[in-house]
Amino acid sequence: MSRRKIIFLVLLLIIQLCLIWPVYPLFSNVHPLILGIPFSFAWVIFVLLSAFLLVLWYYLTDPEVDSSSSSSEVE
Amino acid sequence: MEGWITILIICGIYLALTLAMGIIPGLRISESVTGFVAGDRSMNLLILYFVMGASIFSSFAFLGGPGWAYSRGAAAFYIIAYGITGMIPLYFFGPKVRRLGEKFGFVTQAEILEDRYDSRALSVILAVVSIIVFIPYLTLQMKGAGYVLTTISEGAIPGWLGAGIAYLVVLIYVFFSGVMGVGWTNTFQGIFMMVIAWFIGLYLPYELFGGVGEMFTKIAESDKSTMLTAPGLTTGGQPWDWWGFSSAVIVSAVGFSVWPHFFMRAFAANSDRTMKLTIVLYPTFQLFLVPILIIGFTAVLAYPGIEPADTILPYVLTQLDLPIVIIGLVCAGTLAASMSSGDAILHSAASIGIRDGVAKFLPDHLNTDHKQRKYIRILVIVISLIAYYFAVFSEVPIVNLLLGSYGGVAQIFPLVFCMFYWKRANRAGALSGLLAGLAVTLLFLFYPEWRPFPLHEGIYGLIANIILLITVSLATQPESEERIQRYRNA
C-alpha cells in the first residue's frame, strides 16, 4: 500500500471517530456558539468540510485520474 | 381561498417542467436494457452528481429532517454525520464497478456480486431484499407528496389525488426514459430544492428571531438548551446515549454506499474521473442539510408542541404571513424532494426485479434485450400501483419496515468489500455471511430487549456477517483463479 493511501486511511479513521464516541463527546456542548451556531452543530459542519478537503486532496494527487479517463468525456 | 390556487398553479408548472425534462432525454437513449437501466453508460459529472445527491435527499429530508431537529435536537446531526464518510468507499469501488460493467455488461449490483461469487441464489436474495426495502421507501415518498398537496390546498385536494398526480408524472418519465429521465429530472429537482432549502433555512430564523445566531442564542438560554447538546434526544424525549448515536452513525455509514439504487449508478458513469469527482463533490450536496435542520430548530421556541413533528415545515408555512409565491415554491420543492427519490427507487426496483429476480427463473422468456426492457417497464407500472395502494389505502405501519432497512442494507457492504479486496471470499462465505447478517439484524430489530448492549441492530448483524463470511470462506474451496484475477485487476 502506498504512503499516500495509508495517510488517507488514517485521516479517514480520525474523521470517522470525530463523529462518534469517543471524540464527538468532547465537542458536544452548546457553547461556545460559533458564528451563531451551537458548538455541537458547528463541529459536525467542520468535520464535513475536513472530509471534503481530505477526499479532494486524495483526488488531486491520484495518479490514475489522468490515464484512466475514457473517450466519452463530455461535460 | 384564492391563495391555494396560486400555489397549485406553481406546483403544476413545476410538474409540467419535470415531465418535459424527463421525457426529452429518453428520445436519445438506445432501445436496450443498458440504455434503460444504465443510460448507455453516458452520464457526465453534472448528471451523476445530481442523481446521487437528489436520490438520497427524499421527502425525509424536507419533512423528516426538520422534524428530527424540532423534536430531537442534536440527534438530527446524525443525518449529516453518517453521510460524511458513508460515500467515500464508492471512490474506490465505483471506478472498478464501472469498468467491470463496461467489460461484462453488468447494470445492477446483484449482477456483479453474482458473477464474483458465482451464485445465482445471491442475486435472487439481493433482488428480494431490494424490493422489500424499496416498496415501503417509495410508499413514504408518495405519502409525503400527497400530504403536502393536501395541506396547502386546505384539504381541497385529497391525498390520493395529490400522490396520484405527482407519481403519474414520475411513472411516465421513468417508463419512457429510464435512468436518463431520472438523471435529467434530478438535476432540475436538485438545483430547485437546494435553492429553496437555503432560502427558507435562512429566511425563517431571520423573520422570527432576527437571524440564525439570535435563534440559537434564544434556544441556548431557554430550558430547551439541553437538546442542542449532542447526541440530543430519543423519540421519547429522553437524552440519547452515545452507544445508540455512534452505532447508528456507523451502521448507516457502512450501508450508505451499497444502497442498490445508489451503487448501480456507478454503471451509468461515463468515466472513472466522473465517478471519482462525484464522490469528491458529494459533501457540497450534504451542506444542504444544514439549512434543512435550521428550519426545524427555528420552530422549537416559536411553535412548541406540534404533533407529529414531521409536519413542522408545512405547519410553519401556514402560520407565517409569507408571500403566496414563496409558499408555492416551497411546496413544489417538497414535491421535488419526494419525486427525485421516488423516481430513482422505482426505476431501480423494476430493473433489479427483472434482471436479478424474474430473469433467473424464466431465462427462456426473458432471453432478449427487447423483452427484458419491456418487462422492466411493466414492472415499473406494477410497483407504482403496489406502492400507491400502500400509500393511499393500506393502514399497515410501513415506517417501521423502512427504519429497519438501514441495518439490512449495511449487510451488503462486507460482500462488496471482499469482492475486490479479499480473494479467499467465496460463494459459501458470501451466502452464509449475508443470510446470517440479515437474520441477526431482523431478530434484534423485532426483539430489541434481547440486545446485550444498547447498540444498533445492524452492528450485531455485521458482526455475525463478517465472522461467517471469513470462517466459511476459509473452510471451503476458493473461487477459480481466473474469476478472482478479474476482480483483483479491475
Side-chain angles (χ1 to χ4, degrees):
Chain A
M1 212 187 292
S2 67
R3 224 180 92 201
R4 173 174 151 273
K5 200 167 207 170
I6 293 169
I7 294 172
F8 175 80
L9 291 175
V10 169
L11 290 175
L12 183 63
L13 180 69
I14 293 171
I15 282 175
Q16 182 62 71
L17 289 176
C18 284
L19 295 166
I20 56 175
W21 185 89
V23 181
Y24 191 20
L26 305 174
F27 303 91
S28 62
N29 278 330
V30 183
H31 296 285
L33 298 183
I34 310 285
L35 301 171
I37 297 205
F39 195 55
S40 53
F41 195 2
W43 174 251
V44 174
I45 298 171
F46 169 74
V47 177
L48 173 66
L49 296 176
S50 310
F52 172 61
L53 291 177
L54 175 66
V55 183
L56 183 64
W57 162 75
Y58 196 74
Y59 174 77
L60 292 175
T61 57
D62 194 332
E64 287 175 19
V65 164
D66 294 327
S67 58
S68 63
S69 301
S70 87
S71 53
S72 53
E73 190 78 14
V74 188
E75 275 180 35
Chain B
M1 274 307 273
E2 286 299 301
W4 64 264
I5 296 175
T6 313
I7 297 173
L8 289 183
I9 290 171
I10 293 173
C11 291
I13 294 171
Y14 154 77
L15 286 171
L17 280 174
T18 305
L19 189 59
M21 299 249 349
I23 286 180
I24 291 165
L27 304 173
R28 296 194 313 194
I29 288 295
S30 69
E31 287 280 325
S32 67
V33 170
T34 311
F36 193 83
V37 181
D40 291 330
R41 309 186 196 279
S42 69
M43 281 193 186
N44 62 28
L45 179 63
L46 179 76
I47 309 270
L48 194 65
Y49 169 78
F50 278 106
V51 168
M52 301 279 255
S55 301
I56 287 286
F57 295 109
S58 54
S59 57
F60 171 73
F62 257 73
L63 301 173
W68 270 56
Y70 173 70
S71 61
R72 302 182 59 182
F77 303 153
Y78 149 81
I79 301 170
I80 301 180
Y82 75 79
I84 294 179
T85 52
M87 215 25 190
I88 294 176
L90 265 188
Y91 186 94
F92 300 95
F93 302 156
K96 291 174 191 287
V97 166
R98 190 196 74 78
R99 289 194 295 264
L100 285 164
E102 203 169 49
K103 207 163 163 187
F104 300 105
F106 306 134
V107 289
T108 69
Q109 181 187 51
E111 274 175 325
I112 192 168
L113 285 168
E114 174 191 2
D115 182 68
R116 165 62 179 82
Y117 293 108
D118 191 21
S119 168
R120 211 175 63 167
L122 187 59
S123 161
V124 176
I125 294 168
L126 287 171
V128 171
V129 170
S130 303
I131 297 210
I132 289 178
V133 170
F134 281 159
I135 287 180
Y137 204 147
L138 184 57
T139 302
L140 284 184
Q141 304 307 324
M142 286 186 179
K143 279 194 169 180
Y147 181 79
V148 169
L149 289 174
T150 307
T151 312
I152 50 160
S153 67
E154 294 160 11
I157 296 190
W160 64 267
L161 186 61
I165 294 170
Y167 275 83
L168 187 62
V169 171
V170 170
L171 175 62
I172 292 171
Y173 70 69
V174 170
F175 181 90
F176 192 74
S177 303
V179 76
M180 284 317 260
V182 175
W184 281 97
T185 54
N186 281 13
T187 306
F188 167 62
Q189 291 161 331
I191 295 171
F192 185 55
M193 65 191 186
M194 269 176 157
V195 172
I196 297 288
W198 278 106
F199 174 77
I200 289 293
L202 298 176
Y203 179 81
L204 284 185
Y206 178 80
E207 178 74 17
L208 290 165
F209 295 92
V212 174
E214 285 79 354
M215 184 265 291
F216 278 120
T217 309
K218 288 259 170 58
I219 299 179
E221 286 165 355
S222 75
D223 58 342
K224 300 221 173 153
S225 70
T226 49
M227 80 188 298
L228 291 178
T229 305
L233 311 174
T234 63
T235 37
Q238 301 302 309
W240 204 5
D241 60 281
W242 280 106
W243 288 106
F245 180 88
S246 302
S247 59
V249 167
I250 289 180
V251 168
S252 306
V254 166
F256 201 20
S257 61
V258 295
W259 272 88
H261 65 298
F262 212 45
F263 183 93
M264 68 192 279
R265 297 300 170 236
F267 296 116
N270 67 1
S271 73
D272 291 357
R273 186 173 160 274
T274 297
M275 187 67 231
K276 287 180 174 175
L277 259 179
T278 301
I279 308 302
V280 172
L281 295 175
Y282 192 74
T284 58
F285 216 107
Q286 276 211 299
L287 267 182
F288 141 85
L289 285 170
V290 171
I292 290 277
L293 298 188
I294 288 176
I295 294 171
F297 284 121
T298 304
V300 168
L301 291 181
Y303 304 103
I306 303 303
E307 292 279 342
D310 286 354
T311 63
I312 194 67
L313 174 60
Y315 180 82
V316 171
L317 289 178
T318 56
Q319 294 304 302
L320 290 173
D321 202 15
L322 288 170
I324 205 78
V325 175
I326 290 181
I327 298 181
L329 288 173
V330 176
C331 292
T334 315
L335 282 184
S338 158
M339 291 164 67
S340 63
S341 300
D343 61 4
I345 291 159
L346 175 60
H347 169 268
S348 304
S351 308
I352 292 168
I354 295 296
R355 289 282 288 196
D356 307 330
V358 179
K360 305 293 171 195
F361 295 106
L362 300 169
D364 301 336
H365 287 271
L366 291 164
N367 49 5
T368 65
D369 219 46
H370 180 75
K371 280 186 190 161
Q372 281 202 9
R373 188 176 148 108
K374 189 175 106 191
Y375 281 100
I376 290 173
R377 284 180 153 173
I378 292 172
L379 196 58
V380 165
I381 299 175
V382 172
I383 290 175
S384 300
L385 291 175
I386 295 172
Y388 186 68
Y389 169 79
F390 280 116
V392 174
F393 302 109
S394 168
E395 296 297 321
V396 179
I398 45 160
V399 184
N400 302 336
L401 203 54
L402 191 64
L403 286 177
S405 65
Y406 268 85
V409 170
Q411 306 308 322
I412 304 172
F413 187 87
L415 276 67
V416 171
F417 183 86
C418 292
M419 167 159 72
F420 297 116
Y421 298 108
W422 194 44
K423 59 180 182 180
R424 267 308 262 115
N426 65 10
R427 167 168 40 185
L431 278 175
S432 46
L434 179 64
L435 287 174
L438 290 172
V440 170
T441 304
L442 285 176
L443 178 75
F444 287 121
L445 177 68
F446 292 119
Y447 298 98
E449 65 277 11
W450 292 358
R451 297 176 204 185
F453 303 98
L455 294 172
H456 192 283
E457 64 272 3
I459 295 278
Y460 298 103
L462 281 171
I463 293 170
N465 186 337
I466 293 166
I467 290 174
L468 277 171
L469 177 56
I470 293 173
T471 53
V472 174
S473 288
L474 288 176
T476 48
Q477 290 295 315
E479 299 297 337
S480 73
E481 190 59 29
E482 179 265 333
R483 190 181 293 276
I484 289 162
Q485 281 312 317
R486 216 187 297 162
Y487 286 83
R488 294 281 284 182
N489 303 331

